[in-house]
């Protein structure tokens, strides 16, 4: 599920497994997008996690596409359709 809203933030909900923070950083880094802030939290039972990311500028479509292919739930604000 993906939706677009008017500010530059990405929210991801996913299974809490090792390597996700690194994978997300690589997706943004490959697109030369700087992560300004990142917060990660998980459910009490440790099965699901939520990541909130703010970036400098808008979210490129290539980043949205890669995130959508990797995660079941992706919410994007400030998307750049280019």
């Amino acid at each position: 599920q993906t939706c677009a809203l008017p500010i530059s933030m990405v929210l991801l909900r996913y299974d809490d497994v090792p390597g996700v923070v690194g994978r997300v950083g690589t997706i943004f880094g490959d697109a030369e997008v700087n992560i300004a802030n990142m917060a990660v939290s998980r459910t009490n039972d440790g099965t699901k996690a939520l990541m909130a990311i703010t970036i400098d500028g808008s979210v490129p479509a290539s980043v949205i596409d890669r995130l959508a292919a990797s995660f079941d739930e992706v919410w994007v604000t400030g998307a750049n359709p280019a």
Side-chain angles (χ1 to χ4, degrees), residues 1-5 9-13 50 73-77:
Q1 178 181 5
T2 304
C3 68
L5 299 170
M9 180 178 273
V10 176
L11 298 170
L12 306 172
R13 187 166 185 263
L50 177 69
E73 296 182 57
V74 178
W75 296 273
V76 179
T77 66

Side-chain angles (χ1 to χ4, degrees), residues 5-50:
L5 299 170
I7 58 173
S8 296
M9 180 178 273
V10 176
L11 298 170
L12 306 172
R13 187 166 185 263
Y14 54 91
D15 292 331
D16 188 26
V17 296
V20 174
V21 171
R23 188 169 42 168
V24 170
T26 297
I27 291 171
F28 280 90
D30 286 350
E32 298 185 7
V33 175
N34 187 49
I35 294 174
N37 198 357
M38 177 190 286
V40 179
S41 182
R42 66 181 184 170
T43 57
N44 288 337
D45 64 7
T47 59
K48 292 287 185 181
L50 177 69

